[in-house]
Amino acid sequence: ANICSEQLNHHCANESLTQVIKHTPNHLQALDRLTIIKEHLGLTKSALETYAQYFSNGGLSPNVAHRYAKLLAENQLTESAKKYFIYAIEAKPDIFQVTVFKDYVTFLMNHGFHREALSFIEKIRDKGDNASLFMEKELNELKRILAVAAR
């Protein structure tokens, strides 16, 4: 699988890692790499299944959870997406995860969870001086949406 990856041959890496998983179904590193390759190949259903296998076998990586949440959201699996976004965020409470936070707010906004998105941004902005302008544009948009909805 490493040789395939080095040569950027995703089909070869997919086949190699699939064989590894057949022999060792709980090989978390192989499952993680396989999710990435399946996404590159556009094998969405298979990638979702591999992510599920990763977590059902005890995988705990917040980075994998973030990727899984984004793929779930893209496929309208809203409740599961929310669960994995929250896991990715809560797994690193002392780290300001800009990309994860932005992806989560975008997800919430795209799925009509405007109050939750507003609340989340405000909570993040309260964490410190350097976060006081975090997602200013989105915050203003959410306030506008909620003001219109309240009329």
Side-chain angles (χ1 to χ4, degrees), residues 63-118:
N63 297 331
V64 177
H66 175 226
R67 290 196 326 260
Y68 189 26
K70 289 188 341 183
L71 191 61
L72 289 162
E74 289 168 16
N75 287 277
Q76 308 309 314
L77 298 164
T78 309
E79 288 307 313
S80 293
K82 190 186 273 191
K83 170 185 165 185
Y84 283 96
F85 270 121
I86 290 168
Y87 173 78
I89 292 164
E90 290 178 351
K92 296 180 179 180
D94 298 329
I95 297 175
F96 197 85
Q97 302 179 73
V98 175
T99 303
V100 178
F101 295 166
K102 285 183 176 185
D103 287 346
Y104 183 54
V105 169
T106 300
F107 158 76
L108 291 171
M109 290 177 71
N110 288 344
H111 289 86
F113 299 108
H114 299 117
R115 289 195 195 293
E116 280 183 63
L118 179 68

Side-chain angles (χ1 to χ4, degrees), residues 31-49:
L31 287 165
D32 176 14
R33 289 178 60 200
L34 191 54
T35 61
I36 295 167
I37 287 165
K38 287 180 186 241
E39 283 194 68
H40 279 299
L41 292 172
L43 303 171
T44 302
K45 184 174 186 275
S46 185
L48 288 168
E49 291 167 355

